[in-house]
Amino acid sequence: MKGVVFTELLDMVEGKFGEDMVEDILDDCELESDGAYTTVGTYDHKEFIKIVTALSKHSEISVKDIVIQYGHHLFFRFNKLMPEFFEGPKSAFEFLESVHNHIHVEVKKLYPDAALPSFKTHRQSSDTLIMIYTSKCPFADFAQGLIQGTADFYKDDIQIKTEDKNSDSEFCRVFTLTKQ
Amino acid sequence: MNKSEEAEKKLSRLKKRIVREKKARAEAEKLLEEKSREIYQLNQKLHEEARLLEATVINAKDGIVITDADFDNDGPKIIYANKAFSHITGYDLDELIGQNPKMLQGVDTDRGVLDNLRESLYSGQSFQAELKNYRKNGIPYWLDIGIVPVKNDDGKVTHFAAIERDITQQKNNQKELKEKKEQAEAANVAKSEFLANMSHEIRTPMNAIMGMTEILNSSDLNKEQKENVEILHNSSRDLLFILNDILDISKIEAGEVKLEYVSFSIKKVLEQSVELFSGMAKEKEIKIDWKINKEIPENIVSDLGRIQQILKNLISNALKFTDKGTIEISAKKEKQSKNNKDIIYVEVKDTGIGIPKEKINQIFEKFMQADASVNRKFGGTGLGLTITQKLVGLMNGEIGVESKEGQGSVFWFTLPLVEASKEDTIINIMPYKQEYNVNKKELSKLHILSVDDHPVNQLFIRKLLKKIGIENVDQAEDGQQALYRLKEKDYDVVLMDCQMPNMDGYQATKTIRKREKITGKHIPIIALTANAMAGDKEKCLKIGMDYYLSKPIRMRDIVSIISNVIINKNSMKS
Ligand code: HEM
C-alpha cells in the first residue's frame, strides 16, 4: 500500500485527536516500518489495519466508521493534492465512473507498484449507479468512505446501499447509489 | 503524574518522533535517489529512441507529415513536415505548418479517392492510395500516400501521420511501358496477320500444284514419270503441312484462336481419326485400334475441330515413331480430383521407340524432338506437340506423356466432359472413306456451280470433275456472281470457295439460305477452303454450308462428297 495512504491517515489522526494519539497508537502496534512512512514508499497493507484497529481502541469508534471517515477525508485531500482529476467530471456519478478507467490508470502510471482495486460501473437508470468493488485487500469500507466523500464534494444527495459478495479469492462489495 | 514526569514523557515522545522522522527522511531520500536514477535512465533511453526516430523522420527520403485530428474549423492542420515533404511539395516548412494538406490538391486530384480518404480518417482507419497533387509551382506530381491515425491511451484519434512517396517517375514509366506494350502488341498482331496472309498466298498456288500433280498422276504416265510426279506431290504436301503448323502456332500465340463449341459424337471422331491413318498404318504393318468406354455419353459439347486436330497430331506422332506393334487409342470418363467435375480422358499408346528420360520434360517445347537426328529421319516441324499442348490448354484440359525408351509412349489428354442436350443440333461426322456405288451416268447428269476467284483453281476443279465424269460445270468469280447464276439456273451442287473479293463464300451462303426460306429449296453447298486452321469447318457448317473440303482437294474426297449428295438427294426423293 502506498505511503500516501499512511501519511494522510496519521495526519488526519493528528488533526482530529492530537499528536499524542499518533504516538499512542504507534506505540501499540508492532510495525515493520516503525511508523516511519513517506508518501512515495510502499508498505504492507496489514500495517494500515493494525493502525486503525489501535485507533479504534483508543478512540472507541468502530474500525468500520474510522475507515469510512478516513475515505471521506481522503477524498477532499485528493482534491487538493491532485486537482487535475477533477477537471472533467461534472457530477458524483461521472466522477465515480472515471475512477477505474482514468484516475486509477493514471495513478498506476505514477506509482507502478500501487495495488489498486477494480470497479465496474453501470447506470441502471438516470438516478441509479451500480458500482462493484473487487480487490485482493479488504478495503470496501474505505471505498465506501471515498464514495460518500465524492457525493458530498459534488453536493449530490445520494443514498448508498451495500451488499457484500466476498469470495475465497476476492473481496467484493456491490454499491447501489441512488440519487434522492 | 508530576510535572517532571510529564515533561520526561513528552521528551521521550518527541525523541521517538525525531527518530521516526529521520528514518522516514532517510528512506524518502533513498527512494528519491532511486527514482531519479530510474528517471535518468528512462530519459536516456527515451532520448535515444527519440533521436533515432527523429533522424529517421527528418532524413527520410519519403515525405512525412503530421496533422492534428481537428475536423472542425477547416479540418486537420499540419503540425509537422519533414525535409523530404518540403522538397516534394516545393513549400517551405513555415508555409506548410498550420495549413490543411488540401492546399496541395488541384483540378486533377481524384475526388473519389479524396472521399475515401475523408471517410477513412473520420472513422479512425488507416488509408492508402495513389493521388495526384500539385507542387507550389503548379506542376502536378503523383504520390503513393499512406495515412495512419495516431491514438492516445483512451483510443481517441489525436493526430494523423502520413507518409508520401513521389511516384511521378514510376507513373511515367508505367505509362511508357503501357504504350510500348501496346506498340509491341500491335506489331505482333501485324506480324500474325502478315503470316496468315502470306501463308494463304502461298497455299493457293501450292494447292494448285498439288491438285495438278494429282491429275497428272492419274493420266497415262510411264513408271519413271509416275515416280517423279509422286515425289513432287509428296514434297508439296510436306511443305503444306509445315505451313499449316507455322500458321497454327502463330495464331495460337497471338491469342487469335477462338473455341467453337458444337455437339458431336466423340465415338465417331475417334473412329474417323483412326481411319484417317489406317492406310499409313497398313503400309508400316502396324495394328491401329480404338476403344471407348460406354460411360461416355453419345454426344458431347466441345470444339470438334480442335479435338480432331489434337487426335490427328498425337496419332501421326505415334505412327511416326513406331515401327512395329500397335497403336491404341482409348477414351474413358473420369472425375477431376480437384473439383470432382467430369472429364474425358483420352490416351494414345504406342509400342514405338519411346522418349529418353532426360528429354521427356521438354517434349512439348517448340522445335523439340527427342533427338535432333529424329528431325532428319522422320521429318516434321517439331511444332505438332506444342500445338497440341496449347490447344488442350485452351480447352481447359491437361496433357501429359509417360514413356519408356525402347518400349513405347503413352500420350494422354483430358478435357471437360459436357454432355450434349437433346435439343442440340448434332454435327454430322462423315466417315473418311466410303465406298459408293454411284455410276458415271448419274454423275454426268449433275449441274455444278463452281465459285472461286482464282482461275487456276477453277481450271483444276473443272479438270477434276471432268475426270469423274461431270461435264456440266459453270463458274462464278465471287459470291455476287454466284447469287446471280443461282437465280438464272437450278444447280445440283455448289462448290463454294470461302475467301473471295467483293462477296465471300460465307456471305453468299447466308444469302442463299435466306432466299431459300421463301422458296423452300435447299441446294447442297460444299465449302472449299484454303484455311486449314481448325475452327473453319465449324464456321462453314454453322453458316449453312453442308459439306466441307479443305484444299488441297483430292479426287477421292470430292467423289465421296458428291456421291453423298446424290445419295441424300435420292433418299429424299424416295
Ligand atoms: C482523485 C481521486 C483518486 C486518487 C488520486 C486515488 C488514488 C489511489 C491510490 C494512490 C491508492 C493506493 C494504491 C495502493 O495502496 O497501492 C488508491 C487505492 C484505492 N482507491 Fe483510489 N483514488 C482516487 C479515487 C478513488 C475513489 C473515488 C474510490 C472509490 C470509489 C477509490 C477507491 C480506492 C480503494 C478502495 C483503494 C484501496 C486499494 C484496494 O482496495 O485494493 N479511489 N487510490
Side-chain angles (χ1 to χ4, degrees), chain A residues 14 23-24 27 34 38 109, chain B residues 13 16-17 20 24 153:
Chain A
E14 190 176 323
E23 296 310 317
D24 287 343
D27 271 348
D34 295 330
T38 76
K109 284 187 209 162
Chain B
R13 276 187 172 163
K16 263 193 198 165
R17 190 165 189 154
R20 220 170 57 227
D153 288 349

Side-chain angles (χ1 to χ4, degrees), chain A residues 14 19-20 22-24 26-27 33-38 40-41 43 109, chain B residues 9 13-14 16-17 19-21 23-25 27-28 31-32 35 153-154:
Chain A
E14 190 176 323
E19 279 177 26
D20 289 352
V22 176
E23 296 310 317
D24 287 343
L26 288 182
D27 271 348
S33 66
D34 295 330
Y37 299 111
T38 76
V40 285
Y43 309 90
K109 284 187 209 162
Chain B
K9 201 174 173 194
R13 276 187 172 163
L14 272 173
K16 263 193 198 165
R17 190 165 189 154
V19 170
R20 220 170 57 227
E21 294 296 350
K23 191 181 171 192
R25 186 179 150 167
E27 201 190 317
L31 281 170
L32 190 68
K35 264 277 161 313
D153 288 349
D154 299 339

Side-chain angles (χ1 to χ4, degrees), chain B residues 378-438:
Chain B
F378 297 99
T381 52
L383 287 173
L385 285 178
T386 312
I387 293 170
T388 308
Q389 185 197 34
K390 298 212 170 189
L391 289 178
V392 172
L394 268 178
M395 295 168 77
N396 291 324
E398 281 174 52
I399 187 164
V401 58
E402 278 113 47
S403 182
K404 269 215 178 105
E405 207 178 349
Q407 294 186 15
S409 313
V410 180
F411 280 86
W412 58 264
F413 64 93
T414 65
L415 294 174
L417 179 58
V418 182
E419 185 168 0
S421 76
K422 293 236 157 51
E423 298 89 68
D424 284 0
T425 10
I426 310 295
I427 297 266
N428 185 29
I429 293 160
M430 268 192 306
Y432 178 65
K433 268 190 299 189
Q434 228 168 314
E435 305 297 328
Y436 295 110
N437 294 325
V438 188

Side-chain angles (χ1 to χ4, degrees), chain B residues 57-75:
Chain B
V57 170
I58 289 176
N59 300 320
K61 289 276 171 280
D62 290 345
I64 297 177
V65 63
I66 302 173
T67 71
D68 60 33
D70 183 4
F71 282 104
D72 310 327
N73 345 302
D74 272 4

Side-chain angles (χ1 to χ4, degrees), chain A residues 1-2 4-5 42 75 78-79 82 85-86 95-96 99 103-104 107 111 113-119 131 133-140 142-144 146-147 150:
Chain A
M1 185 164 245
K2 290 312 294 180
V4 67
V5 182
T42 304
F75 184 88
F78 278 155
N79 178 242
M82 299 171 228
F85 292 130
F86 295 81
F95 185 89
L96 291 172
V99 173
I103 298 175
H104 278 178
V107 168
Y111 307 119
D113 52 352
L116 291 155
S118 149
F119 285 107
M131 192 165 185
Y133 162 90
T134 43
S135 174
K136 299 263 176 245
C137 307
F139 294 131
F142 179 54
Q144 194 168 331
L146 280 156
I147 293 171
T150 313

